[in-house]
Amino acid sequence: MSALASKPLKAPGCAIGFENAIEQREPVALRVKGQIPPWLRGNLYRTGPGTFRVPSSAAPSGSVDLTHWFDGLGMTHRFEITSSGSVMYRNHSTADGLKKRIEKSGSVPGVTFGDQDPCETIFSKFFTMFKPNPETPPKPIDGAADEVNIQVTLTPDMPGFASHHSLPSSTTTPRFLVAKSDNDTLQILDPETLKPLHATTYAELDPRLDGHISAAHSCRDKTTDEFYNFSLKMGGRPVYKVFRVRPNASAEKGFEVDILTEINDAPPAYLHSFVMTQKYVVLCIWQADFKYYGATIPLNRNIASSLEKKWNPNRNTLFYVIDRHTGGLVSKFKSPPFFCFHAINAYDSGSDDVTIDLSVYDDHSVIDLLYLDTLRNLSAEKPMRMGRARRFILENVSSQAGKSVREAVIPFTLSQSSSIELPTVHPALYHKPYRFAYGMNKLDPKTHHTFADRIIKLDMSQPNFEPKTWGVPGYTPGEPIFVPRPGAASPSDAEDDGVILSLVLDGETQKSMLVVLDAKEMKEVARAEMETHFPFVFHGVFTPA
């Protein structure tokens, strides 16, 4: 097995997390300190950007430097925790084909999230509308599996692909991973080697799913194995198609796709996530609206510049409540405007209420704070902000179906000191009543010039209580993943009986570690140390052995 060694990089503190990571395709053992619980066995998968700078002789500077965090080229990681308490690590770049196109052309082809060339003038943009671009990537289904950049979330064994021709014959669990992003493209990965196997779109599942925008954070019912998302098609009359993919052994392809409803009276917006309960799907359309119904995206060739920059204090957030079983729009609610990346959780409450917890921002200016020049140089003038937990209650959802838009009730919004991002909960309690939420936390942004300072545990049943946290000065944690202890009491009785897994960067040594925390007490029990830095990625999933 090859050893993983870090190359020296001139990047102070946490900034190194936004520099190129070293590819490690063969498993390498990490150095474990402390005692990993003997019951903790399985694989922690993580995905996100791994390459931010691409050397290119065709680029004037000799390098194509990606400018927005969301545009870093994909890399997927696997931490295998064995029965002996050892940890084996490997990763795989998942956009090598796209990287080769960038190297050849000296620019990033296609549409990206952030503006990739701040020196480009409006005139050059104008002329590219009429000049063919030989480096425009092919449609996902027509190109190689690694000619796409899909690196936000992972869904193990996603319904709709169980019989796909690209899958190897295997009895492993999971059999495959599906990487997703905020568009319609999907990438199937081998769960062991992490090699890209196939690139496709939702339209391959059903041609009715013809929109180019979807949520990176889909919803899934682990009992029925039903998968939910939306497909947003731009144009003069934009339409959201909220859909469900469900296994069906008697169907020709082994699955069925149902369009639950079509929404055509809402502004087209950038929605990174949405929510679901046992009874309903709720599409929360917060303020991140595309200008001119998305018509500027081909001109700008990126998402961020195609959003309305001016905040509209009169543009309410809209909540569309859809029956997740029979389909159809049940009711609509509204609230004062906000922006959001991540839902925390949602569940049915009362006789027919819906409780929704989101990590919210006052406006969408946070999108522009995620350019890499800012993230590598955080300061009091340019601090990193994090969302605050806010609860919404949609009351008597079906009692006034078809009537006017009603107001959502907002019982509380937590303070900045209890900020939370990349939130997760007990995996058995998504879409159900719950108590604890885990996430990254930021202390005072103007005095702590870091990306994130701590991991926080919020008790959403007692929002006024002081939350528990874990942190070490100089350490930057990533998304925390809660893993319940096998054999523990039911989640409702012992919701925090388990551990939290988080990838943490030591800003002083510029090396990373997988940290294992006791979730009840929020104290470290073990760590698996790397010999290099782990890039700041987005999301992951744990699959037990």
Side-chain angles (χ1 to χ4, degrees):
M1 294 180 293
S2 60
L4 196 65
S6 179
K7 296 179 180 179
L9 285 171
K10 295 181 179 179
C14 69
I16 197 173
F18 301 104
E19 298 292 345
N20 289 3
I22 299 170
E23 190 168 33
Q24 178 68 34
R25 294 193 178 184
E26 295 299 320
V28 59
L30 303 186
R31 182 172 58 252
V32 175
K33 292 184 177 179
Q35 184 68 44
I36 294 179
W39 56 262
L40 184 62
R41 294 178 55 197
N43 296 304
L44 174 66
Y45 295 100
R46 304 286 295 155
T47 194
T51 299
F52 302 95
R53 307 180 194 271
V54 180
S56 170
S57 58
S61 65
S63 174
V64 177
D65 293 346
L66 302 168
T67 64
H68 199 281
W69 184 31
F70 294 178
D71 287 320
L73 300 186
M75 178 178 280
T76 298
H77 311 257
R78 179 179 188 245
F79 295 83
E80 180 187 5
I81 303 174
T82 71
S83 57
S84 64
S86 64
V87 178
M88 305 298 294
Y89 169 71
R90 73 193 308 171
N91 66 41
H92 200 300
S93 295
T94 55
D96 280 348
L98 179 59
K99 181 180 177 182
K100 291 176 181 177
R101 288 181 175 272
I102 296 173
E103 292 171 346
K104 179 180 178 181
S105 66
S107 63
V108 183
V111 174
T112 58
F113 188 91
D115 192 351
Q116 294 301 330
D117 189 353
C119 299
E120 189 178 46
T121 66
I122 187 64
F123 299 106
S124 62
K125 287 184 177 181
F126 176 80
F127 286 119
T128 58
M129 297 290 288
F130 303 96
K131 179 181 177 182
N133 182 358
E135 288 305 319
T136 297
K139 294 180 180 179
I141 198 169
D142 297 329
D146 60 358
E147 289 188 298
V148 296
N149 189 30
I150 307 299
Q151 31 71 312
V152 182
T153 60
L154 295 169
T155 298
D157 295 338
M158 175 180 156
F161 294 104
S163 302
H164 199 273
H165 64 82
S166 68
L167 299 183
S169 56
S170 173
T171 58
T172 61
T173 303
R175 286 186 60 219
F176 60 94
L177 303 170
V178 176
K180 310 185 305 299
S181 187
D182 292 313
N183 55 47
D184 64 332
T185 305
L186 305 168
Q187 187 182 48
I188 302 176
L189 306 175
D190 184 294
E192 183 175 353
T193 67
L194 310 178
K195 177 183 177 181
L197 302 175
H198 183 67
T200 185
T201 66
Y202 284 113
E204 185 179 359
L205 297 179
D206 191 307
R208 294 175 296 172
L209 306 179
D210 53 356
H212 292 301
I213 304 294
S214 293
H217 291 270
S218 55
C219 293
R220 188 176 186 180
D221 187 319
K222 292 190 176 182
T223 302
T224 64
D225 203 26
E226 295 172 333
F227 174 96
Y228 295 78
N229 208 330
F230 70 84
S231 172
L232 170 59
K233 188 174 184 178
M234 302 291 192
R237 195 179 186 191
V239 59
Y240 294 85
K241 296 178 181 178
V242 180
F243 67 90
R244 171 181 62 203
V245 183
R246 55 193 175 101
N248 185 346
S250 61
E252 180 181 355
K253 295 183 178 180
F255 67 92
E256 289 185 332
V257 176
D258 303 304
I259 306 295
L260 299 179
T261 198
E262 295 188 10
I263 298 170
N264 52 29
D265 63 346
Y270 163 57
L271 307 178
H272 187 63
S273 61
F274 65 103
V275 299
M276 185 174 81
T277 71
Q278 295 293 93
K279 296 162 60 177
Y280 303 109
V281 174
V282 183
L283 197 62
C284 310
I285 303 183
W286 45 71
Q287 190 172 160
D289 300 346
F290 289 100
K291 293 184 284 190
Y292 306 111
Y293 304 104
T296 62
I297 295 176
L299 174 64
N300 294 324
R301 301 204 303 276
N302 73 83
I303 297 299
S305 299
S306 303
L307 299 175
E308 292 282 2
K309 294 295 184 183
K310 187 176 181 180
W311 187 254
N312 181 358
N314 300 314
R315 199 295 226 173
N316 290 323
T317 294
L318 302 172
F319 298 79
Y320 288 78
V321 184
I322 300 131
D323 189 307
R324 60 167 280 202
H325 300 292
T326 62
L329 181 65
V330 176
S331 56
K332 291 165 58 176
F333 291 78
K334 64 181 180 179
S335 79
F338 62 85
F339 174 72
C340 174
F341 284 118
H342 297 109
I344 301 173
N345 202 9
Y347 56 91
D348 300 309
S349 55
S351 59
D352 192 27
D353 299 345
V354 171
T355 296
I356 301 172
D357 294 334
L358 305 175
S359 171
V360 305
Y361 296 81
D362 293 337
D363 58 41
H364 54 26
S365 60
V366 63
I367 292 175
D368 287 339
L369 295 179
L370 299 176
Y371 278 94
L372 291 165
D373 279 350
T374 298
L375 293 173
R376 292 171 180 141
N377 300 280
L378 295 169
S379 65
E381 293 72 30
K382 290 186 176 182
M384 179 61 197
R385 298 208 313 267
M386 285 197 178
R388 297 175 295 155
R390 178 175 295 169
R391 172 158 291 178
F392 302 84
I393 298 180
L394 313 183
E395 296 181 326
N396 300 315
V397 166
S398 60
S399 65
Q400 301 182 50
K403 296 189 177 181
S404 59
V405 181
R406 289 175 279 162
E407 288 285 343
V409 176
I410 303 176
F412 63 82
T413 303
L414 297 188
S415 66
Q416 179 63 48
S417 63
S418 296
S419 61
I420 187 169
E421 255 303 353
L422 306 186
T424 61
V425 304
H426 189 301
L429 294 180
Y430 278 109
H431 326 309
K432 299 177 183 178
Y434 77 113
R435 181 178 175 187
F436 298 116
Y438 309 91
M440 292 163 41
N441 173 256
K442 184 99 180 77
L443 293 168
D444 186 349
K446 294 189 177 180
T447 57
H448 293 78
H449 308 151
T450 55
F451 180 63
D453 302 300
R454 307 180 296 183
I455 294 174
I456 194 168
K457 175 185 180 182
L458 298 180
D459 187 340
M460 299 298 287
S461 69
Q462 302 181 91
N464 294 324
F465 276 38
E466 185 70 20
K468 290 185 177 181
T469 62
W470 175 88
V472 176
Y475 281 20
T476 302
E479 177 192 51
I481 301 290
F482 177 81
V483 182
R485 180 177 63 84
S490 66
S492 59
D493 296 327
E495 187 177 329
D496 58 354
D497 188 355
V499 299
I500 293 169
L501 304 179
S502 178
L503 271 297
V504 179
L505 172 66
D506 182 342
E508 181 177 350
T509 65
Q510 302 209 326
K511 296 179 181 180
S512 297
M513 66 200 86
L514 173 63
V515 172
V516 184
L517 304 179
D518 175 86
K520 190 178 293 291
E521 301 299 330
M522 294 296 287
K523 295 186 182 299
E524 181 180 338
V525 297
R527 62 175 63 183
E529 296 179 335
M530 305 175 69
E531 292 300 324
T532 184
H533 78 279
F534 185 86
F536 290 136
V537 299
F538 301 131
H539 300 288
V541 63
F542 181 82
T543 61

